[in-house]
Amino acid sequence: MTMNDVAAAAAPRCDAPPPAVALFRSLGEPARLAILLRLAEGEARVVDLVSAVGLAQSTVSAHLSCLRECGLVDSRPEGRSSRYFLARPELLDLLAAAEGLLAATGEAVDLCPTYGTRPTTANTENTPR
């Protein structure tokens, strides 16, 4: 048995389907999620998305390219620009379900020590001031 075999045998199994992992990773990036939330309100041009998310045009375009490659957004030409929209209406259901889940869990997710954005009281007690 090689060291790699030992490491593989000791590693916990994770049977999450890779496409689902990729989907949630794409949704987990703040700028991409902000773009998707804006597009959930209706079609938008890149300039509209730049204004909505406050990022550089090149950054928004790169995120749109990623989301397009994932099949989450699409575009249609309009004059010299393009209008972007959600390619899958099921995404609206997923975003609504996420809002419902967040409403049900209250601040618990935001206070999560691993993924949350706000420190818990226990985390701030030992923080030097």
Side-chain angles (χ1 to χ4, degrees), residues 32 43 45 77 88 90 96 103 115 122:
R32 285 193 294 271
E43 294 184 356
R45 299 169 300 160
R88 304 297 317 174
E90 301 90 346
Y115 296 110

Side-chain angles (χ1 to χ4, degrees), residues 26-72:
S26 70
L27 297 175
E29 205 291 322
R32 285 193 294 271
L33 182 57
I35 290 168
L36 290 171
L37 290 171
R38 169 54 188 84
L39 291 176
E41 297 172 6
E43 294 184 356
R45 299 169 300 160
V46 172
V47 66
D48 303 324
L49 295 169
V50 165
S51 176
V53 300
L55 296 171
Q57 181 272 327
S58 59
T59 303
V60 170
S61 292
H63 285 302
L64 284 168
S65 177
C66 173
L67 292 167
R68 198 171 182 173
E69 289 173 8
C70 293
L72 299 178

Side-chain angles (χ1 to χ4, degrees), residues 74-85:
D74 206 349
S75 66
R76 62 177 179 80
E78 183 179 83
R80 295 179 57 196
S81 64
S82 295
R83 286 215 170 255
Y84 287 85
F85 56 90

